[in-house]
Amino acid sequence: MRTLRAVGFDLDGTLFDHRGSARDGVHHFLRSLGVEPSPGALESWFTAEDIQFERWRSGEIGFEEQRRQRLRAALPALGITLPTDDAGLDALFDRYLQAYRQSWRAFPDSRALIDRLRASGYRVGLLTNGARAQQLDKLHRTDLFDGLDTVCISEHLGVQKPDPQAFAILATRLGVAPEECLFVGDHQAHDVDGARSAGMRGLLVDRYATHVTGIADVVLGELRAGVEPAR
């Protein structure tokens, strides 16, 4: 058994409030199109996001195409006539991205937790699926980037969670063996199961329900129990 010496984090939904940022962004976006962001409209938007992003993650479609497919899936049912060409769809999605970016925020406790872990001697890193430019922009704009010892982004790595290789790369960059690393994320399959398949300890958090007041206590508690082997 090895003591945990490092902590890896997922970004969206774990350190970064994607759902809150996206909800505010899509409110502004839909209103700019003359549509009231009703609960049904929001559900349609986020269902399309989940489905199409997973299609991109699995390699079925490209990153830009998953954005176009989100528009095609969500907006016509709201009475919005879409552009028929890719350039027009991309320009339309850019309007959403501008509203989303203006709403970006980390969870209130994220930076303090990172600093506390590093002050306690832990190495701290990030492993996220997504586009490199956008994920780095999030980290810089939310003051998270310079608190991290390493940042691993799937587009740059060439491999995505839950592939064990992605977690192995994170461990290598943190300078620890996988079994010496705790990985914290909000997705059971991508984050927790993926980490455990690589030999890490995995911790599932839910920022919007169980851990709405913060994740510091559960992370620190897991670290105190870190002499147990990952399962």
Side-chain angles (χ1 to χ4, degrees):
M1 294 188 294
R2 296 199 189 186
T3 300
L4 294 171
R5 298 196 297 119
V7 182
F9 288 98
D10 165 59
L11 182 57
D12 295 311
T14 303
L15 295 178
F16 174 82
D17 184 6
H18 167 69
R19 186 184 299 179
S21 301
R23 184 177 58 247
D24 289 353
V26 76
H27 267 81
H28 291 296
F29 175 59
L30 290 178
R31 286 196 174 111
S32 77
L33 298 175
V35 174
E36 181 60 27
S38 65
L42 295 176
E43 181 180 1
S44 177
W45 178 267
F46 288 115
T47 297
E49 177 186 274
D50 290 343
I51 292 171
Q52 301 305 327
F53 191 83
E54 182 61 23
R55 292 181 69 199
W56 166 74
R57 193 206 62 78
S58 66
E60 182 180 343
I61 57 177
F63 191 75
E64 297 299 328
E65 184 58 24
Q66 64 88 19
R67 290 176 165 177
R68 299 171 192 136
Q69 291 292 345
R70 285 158 63 180
L71 297 176
R72 294 181 180 118
L75 296 189
L78 302 177
I80 298 171
T81 301
L82 296 181
T84 57
D85 61 309
D86 287 349
L89 288 169
D90 293 344
L92 181 59
F93 198 88
D94 281 343
R95 290 175 59 180
Y96 163 68
L97 286 179
Q98 291 172 13
Y100 172 48
R101 190 172 186 267
Q102 289 172 359
S103 302
W104 282 353
R105 67 241 190 194
F107 289 104
D109 63 329
S110 293
R111 181 56 193 259
L113 176 57
I114 291 170
D115 291 345
R116 182 174 180 180
L117 291 171
R118 293 187 71 188
S120 298
Y122 292 99
R123 300 274 291 169
V124 180
L126 183 91
L127 175 61
T128 176
N129 289 345
R132 185 172 184 270
Q134 185 180 66
Q135 300 301 72
L136 286 176
D137 195 16
K138 288 177 184 175
L139 291 171
H140 285 293
R141 286 177 59 86
T142 57
D143 192 35
L144 295 175
F145 182 82
D146 63 0
L148 299 164
D149 291 300
T150 190
V151 172
C152 300
I153 301 173
S154 64
E155 184 181 62
H156 187 249
L157 298 181
V159 63
Q160 301 191 54
K161 297 179 297 180
D163 192 314
Q165 187 180 349
F167 295 91
I169 293 171
L170 173 66
T172 297
R173 293 189 180 181
L174 287 170
V176 300
E179 57 266 32
E180 295 174 315
C181 186
L182 168 68
F183 192 81
V184 183
D186 70 318
H187 195 289
Q188 180 68 44
H190 295 171
D191 296 322
V192 177
D193 295 345
R196 290 173 178 170
S197 71
M200 290 182 179
R201 192 180 185 94
L203 174 63
L204 183 67
V205 297
D206 185 346
R207 288 286 202 168
Y208 304 103
T210 309
H211 307 111
V212 68
T213 60
I215 62 172
D217 288 346
V218 68
V219 171
L220 296 172
E222 197 74 11
L223 290 170
R224 286 192 291 270
V227 294
E228 299 176 7
R231 298 184 185 277

